[in-house]
Amino acid sequence: MRPAIITAVDSLLAYAQSKQQEIIALIRQMVECESPSDDAAAVGRFVDLLSDTVAPFASLKRRAGERFGPHLVAEFDLPGRKKSGQVLTLGHSDTVWALGTLKSMPFRESDGRLWGPGVLDMKSGLAFLIYAVHALRDLKVPVPSRVLLQVNSDEEVGSSSSRALTEENARRSKAVLVVEPGTGMEGKLKTARKGVGGMVVTVHGRAAHSGVDFGAGASAILEMARQLSRIAAFTNLKRGITVNPGVISGGTRSNVVAAEARVEVDLRVVKMKDAPSLERKFQALRPIDKRCRIEVSGGVNRPPMERSAGIVALYRTARRLAREIGMELEESLTGGGSDGNFTAAMGIPTLDGLGAVGEGAHAANESLLVDRMADRTALLARLLATL
Ligand SMILES: [Zn+2]
């Protein structure tokens, strides 16, 4: 259900509403600074923009991101005595959109939405957080905890270079707030995320001329086709386990019995305890045609964010704070992973999906609802003032 018009019963909400045009201008700047994961220089430019934006009220650190752009950690200068530990806010600077996407998908505001590459996932979430900090500072609202923002440059490609830094900052935190977009057009928070993995299965057969020497060949493609129905049967929707053979290749010519075939399989699990048994099922694949050999690599690389008691408590706090400003929050389980998966797996209460409300992440209709910007910004500010 879309909420009715929000009335400014709260000074933080009123502040966010009064800054709406400024927030839109910042989002525009961010979207127009394209930052695909695989272009370290472009991501670096975006991180520069972000650094310049927060430098007047934050101390900054950068960590090299190996072959990716730099990761950024900002500690905000906020009112109040910091005696209640640390809260980590988490986001990413990279997008799935190639450089030049702006030509066909320019930033624009129309139909009550903002549009453009990365606008929802998740540049607006970063802008909301920055304005939540402005609100707390300008209204002199005391914030009990240190507040860090970590922005990773490789989230869309598995977070291999940022994971250790995320865990390092999470370890010292009592809560993690992830400003990824919410779920659906209601902007549900994410209190559980599936774990994500990838497997590559390669079948090695025996090549032969399909006309001259058919019997000497052992087709890797035929063997793979048989194995695929076994692999597909690993899906268990009741337990939230899905197995998707998403990319397949093999063979060289139609008149050659294929010597090799390969499949890339995406894995998702709701419970971490399901990961080892699923991986074992892949390892246990045996060829039906004994002349073929099967090779398996990979596994679950992003643990699931399981809905722990700590996550539920954090969600209930957010729901109460939202209700006080006239918003009804809901929670959701999503199949998509984020860096919140890592922090939740460490047992740190993690609340995800606190960013924008909209639809079309990673798709041409990527957009967010303008009339849900102020309440999300205010909710972030209220959470920081409370935790
Ligand atoms: Zn994202």
Side-chain angles (χ1 to χ4, degrees):
M1 286 289 290
R2 288 282 297 280
I5 292 166
I6 305 152
T7 43
V9 293
D10 174 74
S11 59
L12 289 165
L13 181 59
Y15 181 97
Q17 285 168 335
S18 76
K19 296 290 180 184
Q20 184 145 305
Q21 287 313 310
E22 278 183 39
I23 302 174
I24 291 173
L26 176 58
I27 295 172
R28 174 177 199 145
Q29 247 189 321
M30 288 175 159
V31 170
E32 290 183 343
C33 183
E34 292 177 295
S35 53
S37 314
D38 59 0
D39 190 329
V43 174
R45 287 193 291 275
F46 179 81
V47 174
D48 288 342
L49 167 66
L50 194 58
S51 302
D52 292 347
T53 307
V54 300
F57 48 91
S59 56
L60 303 175
K61 275 189 208 141
R62 274 182 193 221
R63 180 81 64 96
E66 295 158 23
R67 65 194 165 93
F68 303 105
H71 310 305
L72 183 70
V73 179
E75 181 179 349
F76 293 115
D77 183 8
L78 287 161
R81 290 172 58 202
K82 303 285 165 283
K83 48 184 183 184
S84 180
Q86 176 175 293
V87 172
L88 175 64
T89 61
L90 200 52
H92 60 89
S93 52
D94 61 326
T95 74
V96 297
W97 298 103
L99 222 54
T101 300
L102 277 173
K103 285 192 203 85
S104 56
M105 249 176 88
F107 175 89
R108 65 192 166 93
E109 181 177 356
S110 68
D111 307 318
R113 298 188 186 195
L114 304 183
W115 308 76
V119 70
L120 176 70
D121 186 9
M122 54 156 287
K123 291 180 171 176
S124 51
L126 298 172
F128 295 176
L129 184 75
I130 289 168
Y131 273 86
V133 167
H134 279 307
L136 294 164
R137 285 171 54 85
D138 289 354
L139 301 175
K140 300 188 171 56
V141 178
V143 174
S145 307
R146 291 176 73 198
V147 176
L148 290 193
L149 167 64
Q150 180 175 332
V151 183
N152 294 330
S153 63
D154 61 349
E155 195 273 345
E156 296 289 5
V157 287
S159 302
S160 59
S161 80
S162 57
R163 180 175 181 169
L165 182 64
T166 303
E167 291 175 342
E168 191 182 310
N169 283 320
R171 196 165 291 124
R172 290 193 285 266
S173 302
K174 58 181 175 181
V176 177
L177 306 177
V178 187
V179 286
E180 291 272 7
T183 300
M185 296 304 269
E186 306 87 12
K188 293 179 185 176
L189 298 193
K190 295 164 179 175
T191 51
R193 279 184 181 268
K194 285 190 177 183
V196 187
M199 283 287 185
V200 176
V201 179
T202 309
V203 174
H204 301 278
R206 197 178 290 167
H209 191 299
S210 65
V212 180
D213 210 10
F214 185 82
S219 171
I221 288 181
L222 213 55
E223 180 65 29
M224 179 62 87
R226 293 169 173 149
Q227 295 296 332
L228 278 172
S229 55
R230 290 183 171 172
I231 291 170
F234 299 163
T235 289
N236 182 339
L237 290 177
K238 242 183 165 165
R239 288 192 70 80
I241 299 169
T242 61
V243 169
N244 180 51
V247 181
I248 185 163
S249 61
T252 50
R253 304 175 68 88
S254 64
N255 62 358
V256 177
V257 176
E260 197 179 293
R262 189 175 179 273
V263 65
E264 293 171 41
V265 186
D266 173 275
L267 318 177
R268 310 270 159 161
V269 294
V270 171
K271 300 270 175 216
M272 193 60 202
K273 65 175 194 301
D274 287 333
S277 55
L278 180 58
E279 289 165 2
R280 271 198 303 275
K281 283 184 179 168
F282 276 89
Q283 300 295 347
L285 288 170
R286 293 292 173 265
I288 293 162
D289 180 339
K290 297 295 180 236
R291 297 171 300 165
C292 292
R293 185 167 59 80
I294 295 175
E295 197 184 309
V296 173
S297 64
V300 171
N301 48 39
R302 229 184 246 282
M305 171 171 148
E306 296 186 27
R307 190 177 175 278
S308 67
I311 288 176
V312 172
L314 196 53
Y315 166 66
R316 294 215 170 112
T317 301
R319 196 175 53 177
R320 172 173 59 80
L321 296 174
R323 214 169 256 167
E324 287 168 9
I325 56 171
M327 300 301 304
E328 224 21 79
L329 272 186
E330 289 174 75
E331 63 180 318
S332 64
L333 157 78
T334 172
S338 87
D339 289 332
N341 289 52
F342 299 132
T343 62
M346 296 166 70
I348 315 291
T350 299
L351 198 54
D352 203 335
L354 285 159
V357 183
E359 65 179 336
H362 302 195
N365 63 332
E366 178 165 2
S367 54
L368 65 86
L369 302 178
V370 170
D371 67 1
R372 295 298 311 275
M373 293 173 56
D375 71 274
R376 300 300 260 204
T377 304
L379 176 61
L380 282 168
R382 300 194 101 227
L383 274 164
L384 296 179
T386 305
L387 296 175

